[in-house]
Amino acid sequence: MNTTPDGRPVPPPHAGERAMLESWLEFHRATLALKCEGLDDRQVRLASVPPSPMTLLGLVQHMAEVERNWFQRVFAGLDVPPLYEGDGFGLVPERGIDEALAVWRAEIARGRELIAGSSLDDSGRLSEREAGHAGHQEVSLRWILVHMIEEYARHNGHADLVRERIDGVTGA
């Protein structure tokens, strides 16, 4: 497997659909981890720019919730409680980046387990509220993987701006 100079896995230029989708998702997961690398708890709590309270720590917590929602609740139909209050962006003094990254990585591992061996055509079930946005109650694993790539790509753009504000580090 090829990697970028910063160590992220490069998605293969030619692969089957499942491998391609999973590779791009892994790339974006690695990008979020990279944005937090080398920062202390104070730095990951620094907000982007007013009026936004967005922080890298909040983004990691939010993505843990997103992973849990789409793979455990929607795809596997499990009734699991939220990890954090609200959407995960809120910060509490006793929860730092090491804990948040460990929770996020555990959610990723659980999601991988739940989709292993499933077909891209297998479906999960949305809540009524989510179905109102998607237009249908059932979504395929293919749809979920594409959505997860989109979710990470959008938030990695936010993470890039937050990281640049913290210490000037930029990049993909």
Side-chain angles (χ1 to χ4, degrees), residues 38-72:
L39 298 177
D40 61 29
D41 279 334
R42 181 192 62 79
Q43 290 172 308
V44 296
R45 292 172 183 277
L46 293 174
S48 56
V49 290
S52 176
M54 188 175 295
T55 66
L56 288 172
L57 177 55
L59 282 168
V60 171
Q61 293 175 167
H62 174 70
M63 291 312 297
E65 284 290 1
V66 169
E67 292 272 355
R68 175 171 275 217
N69 183 60
W70 287 101
F71 293 117
Q72 293 187 52

Side-chain angles (χ1 to χ4, degrees), residues 3 5 8 10 21 33 39 52 81 83 97 118 123 131 169:
T3 60
R8 292 174 293 154
V10 175
L21 292 171
L39 298 177
S52 176
L83 295 163
I97 191 63
S118 298
S123 291
V169 171

Side-chain angles (χ1 to χ4, degrees), residues 126-156:
L126 297 171
S127 69
E128 286 186 31
R129 183 182 63 79
E130 290 169 325
H133 300 298
H136 199 273
Q137 191 112 40
E138 291 189 3
V139 290
S140 68
L141 177 56
R142 177 184 293 102
W143 191 98
I144 292 169
L145 290 170
V146 170
H147 173 70
M148 290 297 293
I149 293 165
E150 174 272 330
E151 183 88 10
Y152 271 100
R154 183 164 40 100
H155 287 313
N156 282 339

Side-chain angles (χ1 to χ4, degrees), residues 69-108:
N69 183 60
W70 287 101
F71 293 117
Q72 293 187 52
R73 291 188 191 108
V74 174
F75 187 71
L78 301 175
D79 183 19
V80 292
L83 295 163
Y84 306 106
E85 299 254 339
D87 54 14
F89 284 110
L91 306 181
V92 294
E94 58 275 1
R95 186 173 42 247
I97 191 63
D98 291 340
E99 177 185 341
L101 285 169
V103 168
W104 173 65
R105 287 182 176 118
E107 292 303 315
I108 290 169

Side-chain angles (χ1 to χ4, degrees), residues 113-131:
E113 289 172 13
L114 292 170
I115 69 170
S118 298
S119 164
L120 291 176
D121 294 322
D122 289 346
S123 291
R125 192 161 184 80
L126 297 171
S127 69
E128 286 186 31
R129 183 182 63 79
E130 290 169 325

